[in-house]
Amino acid sequence: MEPNETERPHTGRRRNEATHRAILDAALRLLAESAGAPVTIDAIARAAGVGKQTVYRWWPSKGAVLLEALTDRSALEVPQPDSGSLRTDLRAIISSTFAGAQHSSTASALRTLVREAAQDPHLAELLQTFTAQRRASVREVLERGQQRGELPADADLDLMIDQFYGVFWYRFILGHGPLDRETAERLADSILP
């Protein structure tokens, strides 16, 4: 290459952020509108205004698209609070989780993932990854509280996290009780000593 020539920027497989966002938004929107019917990669691609090959270039399966869409949505809707008070932070993360899960697109996507994960081992693995990410966020909040002396050093953080997500998933899947702010505050208070 001559010294005055410039290299052409790579335009191959890099993600275009607008297209990436359109695919994730389309996946959640279609799930919200599907009333439980399966959503296909073809439908996601059409709704996002891209070719099916674009979706497959970036994700190996529909489940992977849904997982990233949910992870992305939960990062926006569920803050990683650090107010200096464990009780305040735990209440905030539980309240945000409860509220976020009730958005129609998020609720539909979660229900679809749970339902389809029972039949699809790859999707079950993706759901475990999503769940592990959410658990890690709560663990960070609890560990900060532990470091500040708000929890005993021997507190069983995994059991505390299980209490939170046990109530969440039980109520979310069965719908027998509310997932509102008052419930979130009572749950946080019952988890903490």
Side-chain angles (χ1 to χ4, degrees), residues 94 97-98 101-102 107 110-111 114 162-188 190:
I94 293 173
T97 298
F98 285 7
Q102 294 181 66
L110 280 173
R111 286 190 176 94
V114 169
D162 286 346
Q163 289 172 313
F164 163 28
Y165 281 112
V167 168
F168 168 74
W169 284 109
Y170 188 76
R171 287 186 175 208
F172 179 77
I173 291 170
L174 298 180
H176 85 285
L179 288 172
D180 56 17
R181 185 172 194 83
E182 181 183 327
T183 302
E185 290 178 2
R186 287 194 343 257
L187 178 57
S190 72

Side-chain angles (χ1 to χ4, degrees), residues 22-51:
I23 293 167
L24 296 178
D25 290 346
L28 288 177
R29 186 176 62 256
L30 287 172
L31 280 170
E33 297 166 356
S34 72
V39 173
T40 65
I41 289 286
D42 284 331
I44 293 169
R46 269 193 313 277
V50 301

